Structure formats: structure tokens, C-alpha cells
Amino acid sequence: MPETTRRADRLTGNRYGNRPTMKDVAARAGVGLKTVSRVVNGEPGVTPDTERRVQEAIDALGFRRNDSARVLRKGRTASIGLILEDLADPFYGPLSRAVEEVARAHGALLINGSSAEDPEREQELALALCARRVDGLVVIPAGDDHRYLEPEIRAGVATVFVDRPAGRIDADVVLSDNYGGARDGVAHLIAHGHRRIGFIGDMPRIHTAAERLRGYRAAMEDAGITVAERWMSLGATDPERVRRAAEEMLAGPDPVTAVFAGNNRVTVTVVRVLAERSRRVALVGFDDFELADLLQPGVTVVAQDSAALGRTAAERLFRQLDGTLIAPERIELPTRLVTRGSGELPPTD
Amino acid sequence: MPETTRRADRLTGNRYGNRPTMKDVAARAGVGLKTVSRVVNGEPGVTPDTERRVQEAIDALGFRRNDSARVLRKGRTASIGLILEDLADPFYGPLSRAVEEVARAHGALLINGSSAEDPEREQELALALCARRVDGLVVIPAGDDHRYLEPEIRAGVATVFVDRPAGRIDADVVLSDNYGGARDGVAHLIAHGHRRIGFIGDMPRIHTAAERLRGYRAAMEDAGITVAERWMSLGATDPERVRRAAEEMLAGPDPVTAVFAGNNRVTVTVVRVLAERSRRVALVGFDDFELADLLQPGVTVVAQDSAALGRTAAERLFRQLDGTLIAPERIELPTRLVTRGSGELPPTD
DNA sequence: TAGAGCCTGGACAACGTTGTCAGGTGCGAG
DNA sequence: CTCGCACCTGACAACGTTGTCCAGGCTCTA
């Protein structure tokens, strides 16, 4: 029985139970501590016979290496952190999955947390991850000031921002071409004859929302259309506000004949609102979503490849760790317009 | 400058960069090591003046406590592991989010990984998490033999299985009432006049799939209906097989007039198949999904509360850690039939 | 004014692992 | 037969933190 461990238990009340350590294995196998370490790590220089004895002791005791101690010694934790807005948002599913796959390919585990779009919580999480000495961080930022990460980055924590750029620090960023995508989507509506086009999006303090709004304005301007204030709704976060915004721009003397929805949650709500009305209103949404093709009509969207965002970011992170990377870069991934019917409806004045 | 750290760098090539340690902070503040520890942990017994000096040193050096070392000393990592099938599956989004919330409430971080429905990968992941000394594990099992976890559980790793039971070990389980839910769903179809009802589900080696199949059989038997072999499709994993299965049971001399879909992915594919046909076929699916209400007709589903599954499991895990819990238990959460139209269509013979 | 008690601060030894280095053994060649 | 060399093996000191315990200085009371 592991004497030292048991004593520690009594003293510190720890909860490892009675985990055997390498020392215990060594004692049982009648070898030195370091020999056990060698066997556990598959290092060369151990006789097959000795190895067998050690392996037997390991199995008998149910030993498992304590990676905390290992990390303390080696400096690398082989784990990376992922901070996103909401684990439950379907947009982030493929993204985190992609990050996980890349991490796995590099033998690293993924620790993740949701910021719930709260900058303070983002910071708290990021620093907690740094305290655990993750090797790197993939961050979908909620806040717009990331100077708090500077000491960490200097200390060697690889950092990549995804979906939205970092604030006030120079760091790697991987994002979609939000501006271009929105512009193309709106131009698509214009090409189908629309002139009074509404825009419903998130708060402009969120980078993606601002960029998409900018794309909307650019497309309108390119077509020589003057945008009326009441065609735009910006702080649309919860479904209720989106609903009100949509209803407002659909009513009145000069109602919009088409809507550009700034993200997938907005799109879904707008679809609901439109489903309740008889007048056919065109719709293009930013972000693809499952079943978009099965609705009546199918929903035309500007699709971004969230898995590619995650993959690119994670790969970049590991290249930072390799030392392959030098200067921070901004990578923009293209979007793709997927036409399904709702964006091709003609205007009905 | 931290002399010891820098030396370690040269020797081991570690990548902390030049992280200051408590020793460095102590030296700079002109106090003892333990005093710094006290300040960092908010322990009592430090003069305000000393505390200020220490705090200044911390800020100046950009010190952050190394939790790896802390863990090594304290025995608890304040982190729990979550193993699920696929991070990108929308069913698991709310579940992991719920687990994360509970973990956060207990000051713990969440490490998670996908097993990709591969038992070997599940085991690999679980043991890797144990090597990191997570305090507990929430597992959505892929395999059906979890004896490999026995030493870990004995060593004090709290463990809760969700969505599917553990195999060959006695452990806490939280699951939905798959049997009852499926039975109710099928009974609903029968109540609307259907007798030839198809069932498309996953491989029966997956517990949920087997239970739902059992529920289907029970409902049919209760109604005195003899189930024909060709009404059932079991190993339906990928969309292509689901499609073929659906098409087969919809064709032939005695086609089914209703389909019960064994999970959300099956449901979605069946919706697609039905959308291509003129004959109205009733449909009830297990699992709710976004936009189910917006399809034509709305899809009737047996909804399970995946967030509640996650929350219940995580809470139980922390109660294990508190020592409040003694014997493993099996908790079954009720499902809810949500009628939206597709399940109320009459049979068209 | 002495003694008791409290508060603050620091020395030290763990926690479980791995890198370094030196000792020991066996084998082949000269 | 002896020397050298390759190969195994184990002792030891880190890694950065925290629990224990003791020393000194202070206040308060008899």
C-alpha cells in the first residue's frame, strides 16, 4: 500500500483517494523510480524483463501517471483553451469540433468555456485557462479590449482570435469576409429588383455585426439607393426585439420588400414573422442553418464555413507553438451565397 | 529577473517563457514566499501594508499563479471532463452548456472531447482526463464496457453517465425515458388511425435506440398490431441509409402510412424524403429540433430536455464530490409529446 | 513590569514527475 | 586476462505551490 500517499491524505484531505505513484510501482517491482518513469513513457534503455516486471506492478496497482506533476516538470500541458460565446449555439458546434480535431491531431486536449457575450466573463475564463497553463488559446472574443492578455502572450501562450478580431492588441485573427458576404447578399436582392431592403442585425459593437452592416450600406450605395433609417434595426439580440423590428419595417407607408438578416438567430425569427403574413417578402440571411432548404420557400443565405474557421485558427495556433510563425496575421475566409428561393422572390409593392 | 526559471528554460527547453513565480514576487516585494501565497489566495494574516507591496510586485511582474503546481499540492483540479459523441451535434449543445453552467457554479472548468461514437476513443479520452486528475467525469458512453473506469472510480473520480447507461459497472446514470417516450409517440399515431407504422432507428447496440425500438414494439402490441419486419429499419446511421429505408417502407403493396423516426438526424432525413412525395405520410420523431414548427406540416416530436439531462448529471457529480451521495442511482427524465401537425395526419391508404 | 496571548511572517518539507549524471554490469577485442 | 565501451539502472535535484510549525514582536492585563 502507498504509505506516503495515505499520509498526505490525512494531512491535506486530498481526494485522489489512494492513488499509487511511481514510487509505489517502483517498490512493488523492486526497481528504481526512474526506471518506472522510463517504462511509462516508453523511453529506451530498459531490459524486456525489467519492463515486464514494471508493467505487472502498474497493472496490479492500477497506476496512472499524474499529468499534473508531469506538466509541472515539463512546462507544456498539451491542452488548449477555447472560449466561445455559447456552446449551445449551433454555429459554434462545427467550429469547436474542428478545433478539437486539430488539437487531437497534436495530442492536445480541449478545455472550453462560454463567455455568454460578457467581456468580464471572457477575461475571467481566459485568465483561468492561463493559470492552468494551457499551451494556447482560441478566443471568440466578447470584449473589445484584450490588453489583459499581453503578459500571457509574452509568457508564451499562443493565441488566435476567431470570428471577430482582438481589441487593442496585435494578434492572429481568422474571420469570415463579413463585409463582402453581406454586400453580395444585399446585391443579390437588389439584382432581383428590390430597392427598399431592411437590415436587422446585432449591436454594432460586435465586429461581425458592424461589418455586415457596412456591407449592406455599401451594396445599397453601389446601387444608388438611399437607406432610410427605419429600414435598419441594430441592437436586435433577443427574438422579441427582432420580431418588433421586422414588423415595424414591414408596416407603414413604404414597407420594405426584402429583409437582410444579420445572423442565423435573426434569420430564424424573421422566417417566423414572414410565415405569419400573406405578402411575400424576400429574405437573405447571414449564416447557413439546418433545414433552411426545407422551409417554404427555402431560405437563401450567405454561408460561412464555421468548421474552416475553427480548423484554420487551431492550425495557426499550433504553428505558433512550433515556432513556425512570426508576425500576427489577419486571415479572411470567403463566404458563399446559397440560393434557395427566399432571396429570389420579386418585390411586391 | 527570475534566475531559477530562466535556468530551467535552458535546461528543459520549456515554453513558459519566463514566467515569474511566487519566489520572484517575494524577492521583489521583500517578503517571504508564503506571504505571497497568502496574498494570492486571500488568506488572512497579512498587514494591509504588506499586502499592498506584494500586490504591486505581482502587477509589476505580471505574475499569475501556476495552477498545475497548485493542483499537485492540493489534489483537486477543479475541473471536470465531459465526453460526448460529437460536439457539433445540436442535441449535445444544450447538454454541454448545462454541464458547463453547473461546473462554473462550483468553480470548475470543463474539459471536453468527442468520442465520435468510437468505444476505443471514448476510453482513450476518459483515461487521458483521469491522468489529468479531473475531479469527475460526465460521460455519454459510446462503448458498452466501462470496467476500465473501475480503478479510477475507486481512486475517487466522480462519474456520471448521461443519455445512455454504463456497461458492466455500477454507476450513476441520467437518461430520458426513451421507452416511454417512443411508446407514447407511436401510440399517438395509432390513436390517429394508423396501423402500418414504420420505425427507423439507430443500431440497437446503442441503448437509446434499443429502448425506443422497444417502445415502438410495445405500443404496437398494446394495439394488437403485428409488426412486419419490413416496417423496421435498424442500423440507420447515415442519411443515405435512412433515405433508402424510408423509401422501401413507403413503397410496395402495403406501404406504411406513418413513420416513427428514432432520433433527430433520422427525422430530418425522413422529412426530406416525405417532402418529395405527394402522398401525405404521418411522422413523429424522437428529439425536438429547431424550426420543427416552421416546416409544412410542423413536425410532431417526442421532446427530451437535453439541458435538464446535463444539469441533473452535473449536479449529481458534484454531490458525489461533496460526499453527499452514496449508492449509484438511475434517474429517468420524462419526455414530452409536442404535436405540430405531422403526427396528426390521418392515414391515406 | 512581567507574563500570556495574539498577530504577522518565513523556513521547510512535501506533492509526483522527469532531466542529469554517475555507478555497475557484461561483453568483445586486443 | 584486461581494458574499454555500450548498455542498464537508480540517486538526486529540480518544477511552483501550499500546509505546518515556529519565532519574533506586539498588545493587554494583573
Side-chain angles (χ1 to χ4, degrees), chain B residues 194-265:
Chain B
H194 296 273
R195 297 191 59 83
R196 297 197 306 277
I197 303 173
F199 176 93
I200 306 182
D202 224 322
M203 296 158 293
R205 72 166 179 80
I206 298 178
H207 175 263
T208 50
E211 283 293 290
R212 292 170 196 176
L213 176 60
R214 201 162 67 81
Y216 163 80
R217 284 187 189 280
M220 296 296 265
E221 192 173 339
D222 286 352
I225 304 172
T226 311
V227 175
E229 269 311 313
R230 49 184 289 278
W231 296 350
M232 290 184 303
S233 159
L234 300 186
T237 42
D238 58 309
E240 209 30 65
R241 288 189 62 176
V242 174
R243 169 173 289 274
R244 271 207 309 279
E247 279 166 354
E248 265 169 42
M249 58 182 71
L250 287 170
D254 261 351
V256 299
T257 62
V259 174
F260 186 84
N263 65 47
N264 57 355
R265 281 159 307 169

Side-chain angles (χ1 to χ4, degrees), chain A residues 322-342:
Chain A
D322 288 352
T324 324
L325 246 50
I326 318 145
E329 218 175 308
R330 176 198 179 94
I331 300 177
E332 218 162 71
L333 267 47
T335 57
R336 200 164 42 90
L337 185 74
V338 184
T339 59
R340 296 200 178 104
S342 76

Side-chain angles (χ1 to χ4, degrees), chain A residues 15-16 19 64 67 71 75-77 86 97 100 104 110 112 114 131-133 152 155 272 293, chain B residues 15-16 19 64 67-68 75-77 86 97 100 110 112 114 121 131-133 152 155 272 293:
Chain A
R15 291 277 312 203
Y16 281 176
R19 285 262 184 203
R64 185 163 321 284
D67 275 353
V71 158
R76 283 287 192 102
T77 55
D86 181 359
R97 176 65 190 271
E100 190 208 345
R104 188 176 133 85
L110 186 63
N112 50 21
S114 307
R132 291 190 191 219
R133 298 295 187 265
E152 311 301 327
R272 285 182 204 284
D293 58 324
Chain B
R15 293 274 314 200
Y16 280 178
R19 284 258 185 207
R64 185 162 322 282
D67 275 351
S68 296
R76 283 286 192 103
T77 55
D86 181 0
R97 176 64 190 272
E100 190 207 346
L110 186 63
N112 50 22
S114 308
R121 191 158 153 187
R132 289 187 192 221
R133 297 295 187 268
E152 312 301 328
R272 283 182 205 285
D293 58 322

